[in-house]
Amino acid sequence: MQIRQNNNKGKKSKKTKSVKKKLFKLIKILLLLFLIAFIIVGAGALTIVYSYVKDAPDFDEGILPPSVTSYIFDNDGNEITRLYNEQNRIEIPLEQIPKHVQNAFIAIEDERFYEHFGVDPIAILRSFFINIRERRWGVQGGSTITQQLIKNAFLTPEKTNRRKVQEAWLAFNLERKYSKSEILEMYLNRIYFAHGAYGIEAAANTYFNKSANELTVAEGGLLAGVPRSPNFYSPYLNWNESMQRQSLVLNKMHEVGFISHRELVEAKEQEIILTDLQTREYPHPYFVDYVLHNELVNILLTMPEFSSREEAYEAIYNTGLKIYTTLDTKAQKATENVLSDESLYSQNIRVDMRRLKTLMAEGNYSRYPEETLSETGILQPQAAAVVANPVTGEVMALVGGRDYGKNNQDLRYLSRRQPGSAIKPLVTYAPAIEENMLTPGSILDDSPYIRGTWTPENFDRRFRGLITVREALVWSWNVPAVRAFEQLTPNIGMEYAKRMGLSTLHSDDFNLATTLGGLTHGVTAFDMAQAYAVLANQGIRIDFFTVKKIKDRNDQLIYEHRSEPEAVLSPQTAFLMTDILKDVVRRGTAGRLRIGYPVAAKTGTTNENRDAYLVSYTPEIVVSFWIGHDIPKLGTVAGGSGTPVTYMNALLPKIIEDLEPIDFVRPSGISGPISICNKSGLRPGPYCPSESIVSEIFPTGMVPQHNCNLHLEMEICTVSGLIPGNFCPDHEIETRTFLNRPDFELTDERWRGTVGRGPEDMGLMPPTNYCEEHSRPASEPIDFNVHLLIEPLRTLLEWQLHPDLIEYRIYRIKEGEEEASLLQKLPGSIGRYFDHTVERGVVYIYYLVGVNSEGVKSKPLEWVIFIPEDIQREDPPNDDNGNDVTAILPEQPQPGADNRGRGPKKPPP
């Protein structure tokens, strides 16, 4: 037994050794394969790295120049400005830069600056893992101060492995040739701080009006945060972002041991006081500012080379771009001159806006406090204008205010202000015409309107009654616009307005007050020009733009604008709206606009004239103009809607003086002019007065086909103005034309102003009551009788003469008829009448009415007679001499007898 056990152990031992041997052999093979793979990959990587290094620029110590200047050109290719032509750089030695300022830059940009050889592997690994964690590249960089210096001096800003390898290689070479102090000195004297300041000394002067050696820890921390993206982290441009960046720098300084906790707290508590920023020196700043900060930076962000606004601004100011714009220098200068002309303003006061905002935070003011008025303040009121080509979309001129300066750089054409009635064509009338709900000749009721507690009124608190769409818009009446907007619905109107170009409409604007300009945030002058350009361009929207193309420093085209037209309205709708808005100029609210050129326009003012708009356009130019106070409740626009016309009269002729006058093209599908009644919107009827007949144009498919059914003629008593009663004298009865208009409200205590007001055309409505002025009848005829005679069949009416009556009137009605007809008027000397028009089997009712010398009628005497089918002969009565009366009485109306007129209803008057 014991011998067998030892044998088994031996066998197991041999088997174990065999397995270990095989495993060891496998590991050696794998290690060998890994080593071979590593050598191959490494050799490949080294080959690639070598090729990158071989292609790297030569390390030329003379190539450490400032960044390449960028240029902006106008529409004709003329240079507007350089960004910047002369760099504000003051070179100083490192010894003049406080250690805490040096450390601020080292802490935020390269905390192991004194430890690495130009490239920081630890920072690279850290950035790698942070980017992995954030699941996107570019969140964290690993470039050292040395690499940043190399990148700006020798390389392009492209993000490629080639550029990174070359950057590391050149940084290594720079570190071999220069000491850390020399590299840091070059870096601090070279970096850009925005506003034309290059280097730490220029930055200290620009931001704090002091030398670099006077900077505090807090100030040094703020400046150290700027170079990451100068035009983004500048405290002048983005205060909150700048202070957040400063806090990050100070925290980093404490983290790496450059400052104590006490110094950190003191630095964060120090108040940052900036010096006044120097006025920009480039021309046409309102246009250039828009190009730089609103359009150009967004264009660059669409390119793969730029993933942030910081990188876009870096390219704008430092990479030698050539930016070709749409600026029309002549139009820009003209616009600037007009808006700067103080003689056009009814008020020119200067206000310290910082002081004003402080006071307003402490109390409520309705006018400018005396202590805010300052000779160095910002002029009030302010104005803004946008000039563009509606066909191409090119923005020709932009002016965002007057007196551009260090404290007044607001682009007010991008400020949201209430448009007043200038929005009516965009949200109401153009959409309603496009939706075939209205035409220029459609009728709207300008009568008292109420929804809930809201009672909109016209600015003069009058209600004009039934008016056409054209008149409602030409005179900018509010109530008709509200009724039209309600019919259209805010949803449809707002959607059209957005498509036309109004980008600031809010979800809370889906209400009826929107058509009057009562918006949540308002609109911009820029958007108003964009929207009206759709009307000027036959319903086609071409998005406005200011940048035509961009070339890089090597003159290679990297961007060119391409328009994408969108049909928002039909050409017919655009033309109809334009035709109405031309009437606004000819005879409406912009009636004082006179430029000797076909032009359409719309005015708009807000409550108490806080804001005033005027948008004017020709087939080739659209101009949007706004005037008001920066804080609306503190001032008004004297003259209301008429004020912008003064500016437009001064501006438009200068812009179009080189253009040949052309009118708007009338498209097919427009009919007219066609005569219509301006109360019914239909073709004139027989009773439409001449003053109600106007000419109008229509979409061909919506020309009215029926005649007016609102105008009618009625007899009235001229004494009472009511329907004639039975006893009104004939000479006081006349026929007049009336308007049978729809029902309406009368104002009550829910409306402001006088109660009992209604539409002015309610005075044209026909009376519904009978005259009570003439209540005493004339004397009645005596012994009225009717006899039936045969051979021939006829009736004989007879009565006794009355001395007070000068005329007798005979009326007849068949049983079943509604109206009695006048048979004959007889003089007061005749007392008999034969009716030869009777028929067998019919019941007749006769009325006899007497008229006295004053024209007053008597009460009617009535006689009913039935003529049977089998009538028997009856001899006619004779007179006193035995003569047949038929020989005496007129059996037919005598020549010239008055048988005209419509008979009275039963009973006759």
Side-chain angles (χ1 to χ4, degrees), residues 1 103 211 230 244 274 291 307 315 338 346 397-398 436 438 463 526 542 620 631 691 707 772 776 833:
M1 292 293 293
N103 290 338
S211 296
Q244 291 172 7
L274 301 174
V291 171
S307 58
V338 169
S346 61
L398 292 170
N436 293 326
L438 295 176
F463 301 100
F526 192 94
I542 306 291
E620 301 168 287
I631 300 179
E691 61 268 20
N707 291 339
E772 296 181 354
R776 183 175 180 179
Y833 174 75

PDB file of all heavy atoms in Angstrom, residues 1 103 211 230 244 274 291 307 315 338 346 397-398 436 438 463 526 542 620 631 691 707 772 776 833:
ATOM      1  N   MET A   1       0.832  -1.219   0.000  1.00  0.00           N
ATOM      2  CA  MET A   1       0.000   0.000   0.000  1.00  0.00           C
ATOM      3  C   MET A   1       0.853   1.249   0.000  1.00  0.00           C
ATOM      4  O   MET A   1       0.605   2.202  -0.731  1.00  0.00           O
ATOM      5  CB  MET A   1      -0.917   0.021   1.238  1.00  0.00           C
ATOM      6  CG  MET A   1      -1.992  -1.045   1.211  1.00  0.00           C
ATOM      7  SD  MET A   1      -3.177  -0.727  -0.112  1.00  0.00           S
ATOM      8  CE  MET A   1      -3.883   0.714   0.488  1.00  0.00           C
ATOM      9  N   ASN A 103       2.191  83.898 -11.029  1.00  0.00           N
ATOM     10  CA  ASN A 103       1.634  82.645 -10.503  1.00  0.00           C
ATOM     11  C   ASN A 103       0.181  82.440 -10.907  1.00  0.00           C
ATOM     12  O   ASN A 103      -0.279  81.301 -11.034  1.00  0.00           O
ATOM     13  CB  ASN A 103       1.769  82.619  -8.985  1.00  0.00           C
ATOM     14  CG  ASN A 103       3.207  82.456  -8.542  1.00  0.00           C
ATOM     15  OD1 ASN A 103       4.049  81.973  -9.310  1.00  0.00           O
ATOM     16  ND2 ASN A 103       3.502  82.828  -7.295  1.00  0.00           N
ATOM     17  N   SER A 211      -0.187 100.239 -13.931  1.00  0.00           N
ATOM     18  CA  SER A 211       0.866  99.385 -14.467  1.00  0.00           C
ATOM     19  C   SER A 211       0.748  97.980 -13.890  1.00  0.00           C
ATOM     20  O   SER A 211       0.123  97.764 -12.841  1.00  0.00           O
ATOM     21  CB  SER A 211       2.245  99.957 -14.138  1.00  0.00           C
ATOM     22  OG  SER A 211       2.439 101.202 -14.776  1.00  0.00           O
ATOM     23  N   PRO A 230     -10.498  85.930 -24.944  1.00  0.00           N
ATOM     24  CA  PRO A 230     -10.518  87.350 -24.575  1.00  0.00           C
ATOM     25  C   PRO A 230     -11.837  88.051 -24.796  1.00  0.00           C
ATOM     26  O   PRO A 230     -12.282  88.824 -23.953  1.00  0.00           O
ATOM     27  CB  PRO A 230      -9.405  87.940 -25.445  1.00  0.00           C
ATOM     28  CG  PRO A 230      -8.508  86.795 -25.747  1.00  0.00           C
ATOM     29  CD  PRO A 230      -9.383  85.601 -25.854  1.00  0.00           C
ATOM     30  N   GLN A 244     -16.722  84.647 -12.817  1.00  0.00           N
ATOM     31  CA  GLN A 244     -16.652  83.204 -12.561  1.00  0.00           C
ATOM     32  C   GLN A 244     -15.280  82.661 -12.926  1.00  0.00           C
ATOM     33  O   GLN A 244     -14.713  81.821 -12.217  1.00  0.00           O
ATOM     34  CB  GLN A 244     -17.739  82.481 -13.366  1.00  0.00           C
ATOM     35  CG  GLN A 244     -19.151  82.771 -12.882  1.00  0.00           C
ATOM     36  CD  GLN A 244     -20.201  82.197 -13.810  1.00  0.00           C
ATOM     37  OE1 GLN A 244     -19.885  81.468 -14.754  1.00  0.00           O
ATOM     38  NE2 GLN A 244     -21.451  82.521 -13.557  1.00  0.00           N
ATOM     39  N   LEU A 274     -13.368  98.696 -12.681  1.00  0.00           N
ATOM     40  CA  LEU A 274     -12.802  98.842 -14.018  1.00  0.00           C
ATOM     41  C   LEU A 274     -12.735 100.308 -14.405  1.00  0.00           C
ATOM     42  O   LEU A 274     -13.601 101.111 -14.032  1.00  0.00           O
ATOM     43  CB  LEU A 274     -13.652  98.094 -15.049  1.00  0.00           C
ATOM     44  CG  LEU A 274     -13.820  96.580 -14.837  1.00  0.00           C
ATOM     45  CD1 LEU A 274     -14.810  96.034 -15.854  1.00  0.00           C
ATOM     46  CD2 LEU A 274     -12.486  95.864 -14.953  1.00  0.00           C
ATOM     47  N   VAL A 291     -21.553  92.434 -37.096  1.00  0.00           N
ATOM     48  CA  VAL A 291     -20.805  91.448 -37.875  1.00  0.00           C
ATOM     49  C   VAL A 291     -19.971  90.567 -36.955  1.00  0.00           C
ATOM     50  O   VAL A 291     -19.993  89.337 -37.048  1.00  0.00           O
ATOM     51  CB  VAL A 291     -19.911  92.158 -38.912  1.00  0.00           C
ATOM     52  CG1 VAL A 291     -18.967  91.148 -39.567  1.00  0.00           C
ATOM     53  CG2 VAL A 291     -20.758  92.846 -39.976  1.00  0.00           C
ATOM     54  N   SER A 307     -14.814  74.738 -32.138  1.00  0.00           N
ATOM     55  CA  SER A 307     -15.824  74.038 -31.344  1.00  0.00           C
ATOM     56  C   SER A 307     -16.374  74.900 -30.213  1.00  0.00           C
ATOM     57  O   SER A 307     -17.200  74.439 -29.437  1.00  0.00           O
ATOM     58  CB  SER A 307     -15.232  72.755 -30.748  1.00  0.00           C
ATOM     59  OG  SER A 307     -14.099  73.049 -29.939  1.00  0.00           O
ATOM     60  N   ALA A 315      -9.960  83.152 -33.757  1.00  0.00           N
ATOM     61  CA  ALA A 315      -9.762  83.214 -35.209  1.00  0.00           C
ATOM     62  C   ALA A 315     -10.065  84.608 -35.744  1.00  0.00           C
ATOM     63  O   ALA A 315      -9.351  85.132 -36.604  1.00  0.00           O
ATOM     64  CB  ALA A 315     -10.652  82.183 -35.893  1.00  0.00           C
ATOM     65  N   VAL A 338     -28.347 111.013 -39.953  1.00  0.00           N
ATOM     66  CA  VAL A 338     -29.731 111.366 -39.631  1.00  0.00           C
ATOM     67  C   VAL A 338     -30.031 111.067 -38.168  1.00  0.00           C
ATOM     68  O   VAL A 338     -30.607 111.898 -37.450  1.00  0.00           O
ATOM     69  CB  VAL A 338     -30.703 110.608 -40.554  1.00  0.00           C
ATOM     70  CG1 VAL A 338     -32.144 110.763 -40.051  1.00  0.00           C
ATOM     71  CG2 VAL A 338     -30.598 111.124 -41.982  1.00  0.00           C
ATOM     72  N   SER A 346     -36.972 116.212 -30.392  1.00  0.00           N
ATOM     73  CA  SER A 346     -37.667 117.224 -29.587  1.00  0.00           C
ATOM     74  C   SER A 346     -37.023 117.371 -28.219  1.00  0.00           C
ATOM     75  O   SER A 346     -37.274 118.352 -27.514  1.00  0.00           O
ATOM     76  CB  SER A 346     -39.141 116.833 -29.422  1.00  0.00           C
ATOM     77  OG  SER A 346     -39.247 115.586 -28.740  1.00  0.00           O
ATOM     78  N   ALA A 397     -27.160  98.853 -43.902  1.00  0.00           N
ATOM     79  CA  ALA A 397     -26.773  99.771 -42.833  1.00  0.00           C
ATOM     80  C   ALA A 397     -27.433  99.344 -41.536  1.00  0.00           C
ATOM     81  O   ALA A 397     -28.567  98.869 -41.529  1.00  0.00           O
ATOM     82  CB  ALA A 397     -27.163 101.209 -43.182  1.00  0.00           C
ATOM     83  N   LEU A 398     -26.710  99.546 -40.440  1.00  0.00           N
ATOM     84  CA  LEU A 398     -27.214  99.262 -39.104  1.00  0.00           C
ATOM     85  C   LEU A 398     -26.758 100.377 -38.176  1.00  0.00           C
ATOM     86  O   LEU A 398     -25.564 100.668 -38.084  1.00  0.00           O
ATOM     87  CB  LEU A 398     -26.673  97.921 -38.578  1.00  0.00           C
ATOM     88  CG  LEU A 398     -27.149  96.640 -39.253  1.00  0.00           C
ATOM     89  CD1 LEU A 398     -26.336  95.451 -38.761  1.00  0.00           C
ATOM     90  CD2 LEU A 398     -28.625  96.416 -38.974  1.00  0.00           C
ATOM     91  N   ASN A 436     -57.498  83.629 -47.409  1.00  0.00           N
ATOM     92  CA  ASN A 436     -58.766  83.897 -48.117  1.00  0.00           C
ATOM     93  C   ASN A 436     -59.906  84.234 -47.157  1.00  0.00           C
ATOM     94  O   ASN A 436     -61.077  83.982 -47.457  1.00  0.00           O
ATOM     95  CB  ASN A 436     -59.163  82.715 -49.005  1.00  0.00           C
ATOM     96  CG  ASN A 436     -58.214  82.523 -50.165  1.00  0.00           C
ATOM     97  OD1 ASN A 436     -57.684  83.489 -50.707  1.00  0.00           O
ATOM     98  ND2 ASN A 436     -57.980  81.277 -50.538  1.00  0.00           N
ATOM     99  N   LEU A 438     -60.077  87.477 -45.817  1.00  0.00           N
ATOM    100  CA  LEU A 438     -60.329  88.897 -46.054  1.00  0.00           C
ATOM    101  C   LEU A 438     -59.763  89.309 -47.396  1.00  0.00           C
ATOM    102  O   LEU A 438     -58.885  88.637 -47.952  1.00  0.00           O
ATOM    103  CB  LEU A 438     -59.685  89.755 -44.957  1.00  0.00           C
ATOM    104  CG  LEU A 438     -60.199  89.621 -43.530  1.00  0.00           C
ATOM    105  CD1 LEU A 438     -59.361  90.492 -42.604  1.00  0.00           C
ATOM    106  CD2 LEU A 438     -61.670  89.991 -43.425  1.00  0.00           C
ATOM    107  N   PHE A 463     -65.738 105.338 -32.753  1.00  0.00           N
ATOM    108  CA  PHE A 463     -66.063 104.103 -33.468  1.00  0.00           C
ATOM    109  C   PHE A 463     -66.715 104.512 -34.795  1.00  0.00           C
ATOM    110  O   PHE A 463     -67.750 105.176 -34.805  1.00  0.00           O
ATOM    111  CB  PHE A 463     -67.030 103.236 -32.664  1.00  0.00           C
ATOM    112  CG  PHE A 463     -66.513 102.836 -31.310  1.00  0.00           C
ATOM    113  CD1 PHE A 463     -66.935 103.512 -30.167  1.00  0.00           C
ATOM    114  CD2 PHE A 463     -65.611 101.796 -31.163  1.00  0.00           C
ATOM    115  CE1 PHE A 463     -66.475 103.156 -28.921  1.00  0.00           C
ATOM    116  CE2 PHE A 463     -65.135 101.434 -29.917  1.00  0.00           C
ATOM    117  CZ  PHE A 463     -65.569 102.117 -28.790  1.00  0.00           C
ATOM    118  N   PHE A 526     -34.612  94.989 -36.226  1.00  0.00           N
ATOM    119  CA  PHE A 526     -34.009  94.090 -37.213  1.00  0.00           C
ATOM    120  C   PHE A 526     -35.058  93.111 -37.736  1.00  0.00           C
ATOM    121  O   PHE A 526     -35.198  92.914 -38.951  1.00  0.00           O
ATOM    122  CB  PHE A 526     -32.846  93.335 -36.572  1.00  0.00           C
ATOM    123  CG  PHE A 526     -31.971  92.606 -37.552  1.00  0.00           C
ATOM    124  CD1 PHE A 526     -30.821  93.194 -38.055  1.00  0.00           C
ATOM    125  CD2 PHE A 526     -32.283  91.319 -37.972  1.00  0.00           C
ATOM    126  CE1 PHE A 526     -30.011  92.529 -38.961  1.00  0.00           C
ATOM    127  CE2 PHE A 526     -31.483  90.642 -38.875  1.00  0.00           C
ATOM    128  CZ  PHE A 526     -30.343  91.253 -39.371  1.00  0.00           C
ATOM    129  N   ILE A 542     -36.112  86.240 -47.808  1.00  0.00           N
ATOM    130  CA  ILE A 542     -34.671  86.033 -47.962  1.00  0.00           C
ATOM    131  C   ILE A 542     -34.038  86.470 -46.644  1.00  0.00           C
ATOM    132  O   ILE A 542     -34.101  87.639 -46.285  1.00  0.00           O
ATOM    133  CB  ILE A 542     -34.073  86.851 -49.125  1.00  0.00           C
ATOM    134  CG1 ILE A 542     -34.832  86.571 -50.431  1.00  0.00           C
ATOM    135  CG2 ILE A 542     -32.586  86.561 -49.258  1.00  0.00           C
ATOM    136  CD1 ILE A 542     -34.620  85.190 -50.973  1.00  0.00           C
ATOM    137  N   GLU A 620     -36.877  97.924 -53.723  1.00  0.00           N
ATOM    138  CA  GLU A 620     -35.447  97.639 -53.601  1.00  0.00           C
ATOM    139  C   GLU A 620     -34.867  97.898 -52.213  1.00  0.00           C
ATOM    140  O   GLU A 620     -33.749  97.463 -51.924  1.00  0.00           O
ATOM    141  CB  GLU A 620     -34.667  98.479 -54.614  1.00  0.00           C
ATOM    142  CG  GLU A 620     -35.063  98.227 -56.055  1.00  0.00           C
ATOM    143  CD  GLU A 620     -34.482  99.262 -56.985  1.00  0.00           C
ATOM    144  OE1 GLU A 620     -34.966 100.404 -56.980  1.00  0.00           O
ATOM    145  OE2 GLU A 620     -33.526  98.917 -57.707  1.00  0.00           O
ATOM    146  N   ILE A 631     -35.232 103.483 -21.085  1.00  0.00           N
ATOM    147  CA  ILE A 631     -36.187 103.004 -20.071  1.00  0.00           C
ATOM    148  C   ILE A 631     -37.526 103.630 -20.426  1.00  0.00           C
ATOM    149  O   ILE A 631     -37.772 104.814 -20.154  1.00  0.00           O
ATOM    150  CB  ILE A 631     -35.729 103.406 -18.656  1.00  0.00           C
ATOM    151  CG1 ILE A 631     -34.353 102.798 -18.363  1.00  0.00           C
ATOM    152  CG2 ILE A 631     -36.745 102.946 -17.616  1.00  0.00           C
ATOM    153  CD1 ILE A 631     -33.794 103.150 -17.011  1.00  0.00           C
ATOM    154  N   GLU A 691     -71.196 108.663 -51.949  1.00  0.00           N
ATOM    155  CA  GLU A 691     -70.062 108.719 -51.033  1.00  0.00           C
ATOM    156  C   GLU A 691     -69.689 107.341 -50.474  1.00  0.00           C
ATOM    157  O   GLU A 691     -68.626 107.180 -49.868  1.00  0.00           O
ATOM    158  CB  GLU A 691     -70.348 109.680 -49.875  1.00  0.00           C
ATOM    159  CG  GLU A 691     -71.528 109.312 -49.005  1.00  0.00           C
ATOM    160  CD  GLU A 691     -72.827 109.943 -49.470  1.00  0.00           C
ATOM    161  OE1 GLU A 691     -72.892 110.349 -50.653  1.00  0.00           O
ATOM    162  OE2 GLU A 691     -73.755 110.041 -48.648  1.00  0.00           O
ATOM    163  N   ASN A 707     -75.060  92.424 -55.138  1.00  0.00           N
ATOM    164  CA  ASN A 707     -75.223  93.848 -54.878  1.00  0.00           C
ATOM    165  C   ASN A 707     -75.458  94.105 -53.401  1.00  0.00           C
ATOM    166  O   ASN A 707     -75.890  93.223 -52.649  1.00  0.00           O
ATOM    167  CB  ASN A 707     -76.404  94.404 -55.688  1.00  0.00           C
ATOM    168  CG  ASN A 707     -76.104  94.428 -57.170  1.00  0.00           C
ATOM    169  OD1 ASN A 707     -74.943  94.408 -57.588  1.00  0.00           O
ATOM    170  ND2 ASN A 707     -77.147  94.464 -57.986  1.00  0.00           N
ATOM    171  N   GLU A 772     -95.095 110.567 -34.038  1.00  0.00           N
ATOM    172  CA  GLU A 772     -96.179 110.912 -33.117  1.00  0.00           C
ATOM    173  C   GLU A 772     -96.402 112.423 -33.064  1.00  0.00           C
ATOM    174  O   GLU A 772     -97.169 112.922 -32.247  1.00  0.00           O
ATOM    175  CB  GLU A 772     -95.854 110.382 -31.728  1.00  0.00           C
ATOM    176  CG  GLU A 772     -95.783 108.859 -31.670  1.00  0.00           C
ATOM    177  CD  GLU A 772     -95.478 108.349 -30.270  1.00  0.00           C
ATOM    178  OE1 GLU A 772     -95.221 109.198 -29.386  1.00  0.00           O
ATOM    179  OE2 GLU A 772     -95.506 107.124 -30.061  1.00  0.00           O
ATOM    180  N   ARG A 776    -103.356 114.407 -34.905  1.00  0.00           N
ATOM    181  CA  ARG A 776    -104.728 114.882 -35.112  1.00  0.00           C
ATOM    182  C   ARG A 776    -105.105 114.751 -36.576  1.00  0.00           C
ATOM    183  O   ARG A 776    -104.528 115.417 -37.428  1.00  0.00           O
ATOM    184  CB  ARG A 776    -104.876 116.336 -34.668  1.00  0.00           C
ATOM    185  CG  ARG A 776    -106.294 116.858 -34.779  1.00  0.00           C
ATOM    186  CD  ARG A 776    -106.369 118.256 -34.207  1.00  0.00           C
ATOM    187  NE  ARG A 776    -107.722 118.784 -34.305  1.00  0.00           N
ATOM    188  CZ  ARG A 776    -108.092 119.983 -33.866  1.00  0.00           C
ATOM    189  NH1 ARG A 776    -107.171 120.765 -33.301  1.00  0.00           N
ATOM    190  NH2 ARG A 776    -109.352 120.380 -33.991  1.00  0.00           N
ATOM    191  N   TYR A 833    -116.511 107.826 -57.800  1.00  0.00           N
ATOM    192  CA  TYR A 833    -115.431 107.233 -58.598  1.00  0.00           C
ATOM    193  C   TYR A 833    -115.866 105.841 -59.039  1.00  0.00           C
ATOM    194  O   TYR A 833    -116.435 105.070 -58.249  1.00  0.00           O
ATOM    195  CB  TYR A 833    -114.136 107.133 -57.787  1.00  0.00           C
ATOM    196  CG  TYR A 833    -113.035 106.403 -58.515  1.00  0.00           C
ATOM    197  CD1 TYR A 833    -112.343 107.027 -59.562  1.00  0.00           C
ATOM    198  CD2 TYR A 833    -112.699 105.099 -58.172  1.00  0.00           C
ATOM    199  CE1 TYR A 833    -111.335 106.359 -60.237  1.00  0.00           C
ATOM    200  CE2 TYR A 833    -111.694 104.424 -58.846  1.00  0.00           C
ATOM    201  CZ  TYR A 833    -111.007 105.057 -59.870  1.00  0.00           C
ATOM    202  OH  TYR A 833    -110.021 104.388 -60.547  1.00  0.00           O
TER     203      TYR A 833
END
